[in-house]
């Protein structure tokens, strides 16, 4: 972003509960999330004039949400996409604000990801009834290779061979994110787990077990971005956008599974843009959200974004390194594995709360930024969290990211 | 051997980019896309050459032989067509006759006729065409057809 670093801020965040099922429309949930984000920022409907969302043909639109809430828009756009769209839309928002298309912009995702269209590929009640294989699906369905767990599993399997890692590497990610969920009252799965629990959980698609997979959820979540000047007048400590990438790809595009290394993922090609734009290095990062549709996607992006070397994640994740009070706490809300699946936006929201020093935990005065740091008493605020890296994942072939900075701690 | 795949539960809808490929399978040919301008080969059959952007394309008939590059073992059926099939192995197969001098290569996926016990990365496989109950649709499957040194197997 260069001269745009720190010029725009995330000023409001909000979400519905994670529900299974919601028994609600995606419009109703989106309205709730946007209202909560506005209240969180101290903004009124008249203050908002931009809105974007991402979806997979499974959601409402920005225009509907704005109309329902009485928000008059100067800019709206609903894009197609899942994981890594949040960070891409943050980059997009910075461009729009800089270009003067709007002044304060909402980004939301609303999905009945459990009771409606399930990204895991099943119908709401189980295996998909007779269906058509059209378009891309012609070359996946008859191979019985139709879901993210199956696609990314192919890369994960080859990764295990090439790196010498075992599924205990994946287990370390599951254990860390679940520990954080145990400190998050909003999370669906809060009972701590062990490496052994992970190893005993049933196979979904080898090499991935049940505890390698995220929790499909009905949920909506929203964030609000505006200029630094406006941000200082609002209710929360501002969180500055230092830099980012938006759906970067490899330099020689080809179908991922015909690329030389199927697990050399897009983050490898985005990381220098990301850290170069933000003007920091990996060592400056206090906390990360590392997209955890599966434990594997977190594992491989630790390498891709340069937090450890290629093939080194198996050693890097040992000793609880990804857990709070250790070197690189990851997905402090519990992430998609344990809090609930939102296609990435909830991970950005958690980083914002951490950087404000206002993690919504069991501490009675968290809203004032006062925490006990007593994990046994349910505090999940990271001490002195100042810089967060948000590492989105679309597929092996595409990735978006953002680096955020707080002013507290 | 994995259980039956109920192809009647997946209606394949060939289109402008793929119809000839499906006709190829009926004639027991495993085709990949090839660029008439530069000779590059790829799959799935995207409608332009990603090396030179040409859209003047032909098909290359492969020998239907390759090496297992990676695989997964599906234990939970997602499509109802595969309820009777689990557990089954989906293999990613690097085709023997699509290597280009600059390192470009073609991999394809398919359901193995072999069980998990037999599969390993590095093993050679060959295509077997399977007639479905829809007369116009023939599906390529793959079977292990030899041994190899330096194989790797997931044993957890
Ligand atoms: Zn060409």
């Amino acid at each position: 972003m260069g001269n745009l670093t720190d010029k725009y801020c995330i000023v409001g965040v909000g979400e519905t509960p994670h529900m299974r099922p919601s028994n609600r429309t995606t419009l109703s949930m989106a309205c709730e999330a946007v209202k909560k984000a506005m209240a969180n920022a101290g903004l009124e409907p008249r203050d908002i004039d931009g809105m974007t969302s991402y979806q997979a043909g499974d959601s409402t639109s920005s225009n509907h949400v704005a109309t329902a809430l009485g928000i008059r828009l100067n800019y709206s756009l609903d894009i197609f996409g899942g994981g890594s769209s949040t960070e891409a839309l943050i980059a997009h928002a910075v461009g729009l604000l800089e270009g003067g298309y709007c002044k304060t912009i909402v980004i939301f995702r609303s999905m009945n990801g459990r009771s409606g269209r399930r990204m895991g590929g099943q119908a709401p009640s189980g295996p998909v009834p007779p269906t058509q294989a059209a378009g891309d699906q012609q070359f996946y369905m008859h191979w019985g290779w139709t879901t993210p767990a199956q696609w990314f599993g192919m890369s994960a399997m080859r990764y295990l061979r090439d790196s010498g890692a075992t599924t205990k590497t994946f287990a370390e990610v599951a254990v860390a994110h679940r520990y954080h969920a145990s400190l998050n009252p909003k999370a669906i799965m809060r009972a701590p787990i062990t490496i052994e629990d992970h190893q005993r959980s049933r196979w979904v698609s080898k090499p991935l077990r049940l505890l390698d997979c995220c929790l499909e959820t009905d949920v909506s979540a929203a964030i609000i971005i505006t200029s630094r000047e406006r941000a200082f007048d609002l209710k929360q400590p501002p969180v500055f956008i230092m830099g980012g990438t938006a759906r970067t790809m490899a330099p020689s595009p080809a179908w991922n599974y015909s690329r030389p290394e199927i697990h050399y993922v897009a983050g490898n090609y985005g990381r220098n843009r990301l850290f170069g734009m933000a003007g920091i290095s990996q060592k400056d990062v206090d906390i990360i959200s590392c997209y955890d549709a599966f434990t594997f996607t977190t594992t491989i992006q630790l390498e891709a974004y340069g937090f450890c070397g290629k093939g080194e994640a198996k050693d890097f994740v040992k000793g609880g390194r990804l857990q709070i009070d250790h070197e690189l706490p990851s997905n402090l809300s519990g992430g998609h594995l344990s809090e609930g699946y939102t296609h990435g936006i909830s991970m950005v929201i958690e980083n914002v709360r951490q950087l404000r020093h206002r993690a919504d935990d069991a501490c009675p005065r968290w809203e004032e930024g006062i925490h006990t740091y007593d994990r046994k008493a349910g505090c999940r605020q990271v001490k002195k969290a100042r810089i967060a890296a948000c590492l989105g994942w679309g597929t092996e072939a595409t990735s978006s990211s953002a680096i955020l900075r707080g002013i507290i701690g | 051997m994995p259980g039956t795949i109920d192809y009647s539960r997946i209606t394949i809808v060939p289109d402008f980019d793929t119809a000839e490929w499906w006709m190829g399978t009926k004639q027991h040919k495993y085709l990949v896309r090839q660029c008439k301008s530069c000779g590059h080969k790829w799959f799935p059959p995207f409608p332009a050459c990603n090396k030179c952007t040409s859209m003047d394309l032909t098909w290359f008939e492969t020998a239907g032989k390759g090496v297992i590059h990676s695989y997964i073992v599906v234990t939970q059926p997602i499509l109802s067509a595969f309820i009777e099939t689990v557990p089954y192995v989906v293999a990613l197969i690097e085709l023997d006759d699509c290597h280009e001098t600059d390192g470009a290569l073609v991999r394809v996926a398919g359901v193995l006729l072999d069980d998990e016990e037999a599969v390993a990365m590095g093993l050679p496989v060959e295509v077997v065409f399977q007639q479905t109950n829809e007369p116009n649709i023939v599906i390529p499957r793959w079977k292990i057809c030899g041994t190899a040194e330096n194989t790797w197997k997931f044993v957890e």
Side-chain angles (χ1 to χ4, degrees):
Chain A
M1 219 164 287
N3 60 357
L4 299 186
T5 291
D6 292 349
K7 197 171 168 186
Y8 298 97
C9 298
I10 298 178
V11 295
V13 298
E15 72 272 86
T16 66
H18 294 268
M19 297 166 284
R20 317 176 89 177
S22 72
N23 297 313
R24 291 171 63 179
T25 59
T26 52
L27 175 59
S28 162
M29 293 192 295
C31 286
E32 179 183 338
V34 173
K35 271 189 75 166
K36 284 178 168 170
M38 288 192 295
N40 179 256
L43 290 166
E44 300 291 331
R46 66 173 172 275
D47 300 319
I48 307 289
D49 68 341
M51 193 176 291
T52 63
S53 78
Y54 59 99
Q55 58 158 293
D58 59 357
S59 191
T60 185
S61 68
S62 297
N63 269 304
H64 276 78
V65 174
T67 302
L69 291 173
I71 294 169
R72 186 259 176 177
L73 296 176
N74 288 312
Y75 184 92
S76 73
L77 187 71
D78 305 293
I79 66 161
F80 185 87
S84 102
S85 297
T86 308
E87 292 87 351
L89 286 177
I90 289 172
H92 173 248
V94 167
L96 292 167
L97 296 167
E98 180 70 11
Y101 288 88
C102 53
K103 290 177 177 172
T104 301
I105 186 165
V106 172
I107 299 168
F108 76 85
R109 175 75 171 108
S110 186
M111 60 199 290
N112 279 317
R114 176 84 184 182
S115 65
R117 164 114 194 255
R118 291 178 66 167
M119 289 300 147
Q122 290 205 329
S125 57
V128 177
T131 186
Q132 288 198 333
D136 292 355
Q137 287 299 322
Q138 289 170 73
F139 299 104
Y140 292 97
M141 274 193 185
H142 72 266
W143 299 338
W145 192 38
T146 53
T147 75
Q150 296 170 356
W151 298 324
F152 307 158
M154 194 69 84
S155 298
M157 189 70 103
R158 184 74 190 187
Y159 173 76
L160 294 178
R161 174 197 177 276
D162 292 350
S163 70
T166 68
T167 62
K168 285 189 178 157
T169 303
F170 301 159
E172 294 277 2
V173 174
V175 168
H177 293 188
R178 179 63 64 86
Y179 176 50
H180 298 154
S182 77
L183 305 173
N184 177 5
K186 306 186 299 296
I188 292 175
M189 294 292 197
R190 299 192 62 197
I193 56 170
T194 62
I195 302 281
E196 292 68 39
D197 291 333
H198 169 275
Q199 298 280 300
R200 276 195 299 265
S201 72
R202 72 174 169 84
W203 295 110
V204 171
S205 178
K206 286 185 186 180
L208 301 178
R209 297 177 171 89
L210 187 65
L211 289 179
D212 291 306
C213 301
C214 63
L215 306 170
E216 291 169 304
T217 309
D218 297 350
V219 64
S220 179
I223 66 178
I224 303 177
I225 299 175
T226 194
S227 68
R228 175 174 55 204
E229 291 72 20
R230 285 188 186 83
F232 285 123
D233 292 333
L234 299 178
K235 206 167 144 188
Q236 305 285 344
V239 169
F240 298 89
I241 300 163
M242 299 182 75
T245 61
R247 292 190 176 169
T248 51
M249 293 171 70
S252 55
W255 187 57
N256 182 69
Y257 302 101
S258 289
R259 292 180 52 74
E261 279 188 297
I262 61 177
H263 51 76
Y264 198 70
V265 299
N268 288 287
Y269 306 104
R271 69 168 179 256
N272 288 344
R273 297 180 73 93
L274 173 68
F275 288 100
M277 195 182 285
I280 64 163
S281 79
Q282 287 85 348
K283 294 232 174 322
D284 299 312
V285 172
D286 300 308
I287 60 174
I288 59 171
S289 56
C290 195
Y291 198 85
D292 61 349
F294 306 97
T295 53
F296 168 67
T297 56
T298 301
T299 304
I300 199 70
Q301 291 211 128
L302 293 170
E303 298 183 7
Y305 280 97
F307 289 93
C308 62
K310 188 165 180 254
E312 291 175 5
K314 62 181 185 291
D315 297 318
F316 186 80
V317 299
K318 280 184 188 162
R321 188 182 243 125
L322 301 181
Q323 295 182 24
I324 195 166
D325 298 324
H326 290 71
E327 187 183 319
L328 192 67
S330 168
N331 294 30
L332 284 145
S333 65
H336 290 357
L337 293 174
S338 289
E339 185 190 38
Y341 181 57
T342 66
H343 264 148
I345 192 168
S346 55
M347 297 178 192
V348 175
I349 289 176
E350 174 68 12
N351 285 345
V352 168
R353 290 189 171 120
Q354 289 282 343
L355 296 176
R356 291 169 170 174
H357 222 76
R358 281 159 176 76
D360 49 350
D361 57 17
C363 296
R365 298 181 68 187
W366 67 262
E367 284 181 279
E368 303 159 66
I370 297 170
H371 287 273
T372 64
Y373 309 105
D374 180 353
R375 311 306 171 205
K376 293 210 161 52
C379 177
R380 80 165 191 287
Q381 177 64 51
V382 172
K383 268 188 202 171
K384 298 195 167 146
R386 195 170 159 275
I387 293 183
C390 311
L391 310 174
W393 164 284
T395 65
E396 293 94 333
T398 182
S399 175
S400 314
S401 58
I403 291 180
L404 308 176
R405 180 173 73 82
I407 54 172
I408 301 205
Chain B
M1 193 168 159
T4 319
I5 302 171
D6 183 356
Y7 290 112
S8 71
R9 289 167 171 264
I10 309 173
T11 307
I12 306 245
V13 188
D15 59 34
F16 182 81
D17 298 327
T18 68
E20 291 171 347
W21 190 84
W22 288 107
M23 295 197 0
T25 65
K26 262 180 87 174
Q27 296 158 24
H28 291 202
K29 293 177 181 173
Y30 203 106
L31 304 177
V32 298
R33 261 297 184 206
Q34 185 168 28
C35 175
K36 279 190 185 171
S37 300
C38 75
H40 179 47
K41 305 184 188 88
W42 66 93
F43 194 83
F46 297 113
C49 174
N50 70 356
K51 281 192 178 172
C52 76
T53 75
S54 173
M55 295 180 75
D56 187 14
L57 309 178
T58 184
W59 298 93
F60 173 79
E61 184 183 345
T62 77
K65 289 180 183 296
V67 172
I68 297 176
H69 183 76
S70 188
Y71 66 92
I72 57 169
V73 184
V74 178
T75 55
Q76 176 180 330
I78 300 296
L79 304 179
S80 56
F82 291 87
I83 289 174
E84 302 293 325
T85 322
V86 289
Y88 63 92
V89 177
V90 183
L92 184 66
I93 296 138
E94 192 165 302
L95 296 177
D96 288 340
D97 49 6
C98 295
H99 290 273
E100 296 170 33
T101 51
D102 66 353
L105 51 84
V106 178
R107 299 195 194 103
V108 301
V111 182
L112 280 195
L113 289 163
D114 305 272
D115 287 323
E116 179 186 1
E117 286 65 35
V119 70
M121 291 183 205
L123 287 175
V125 289
E126 64 186 14
V127 72
V128 177
F129 290 95
Q130 200 168 61
Q131 179 63 50
T132 69
N133 37 16
E134 159 58 53
N136 282 316
I137 297 296
V138 173
I139 302 287
R141 299 277 297 267
W142 296 83
K143 73 175 170 63
I144 296 167
C145 63
T147 56
E149 290 175 22
N150 300 318
T151 59
W152 186 92
K153 190 174 178 59
F154 181 71
V155 290
E156 291 184 31

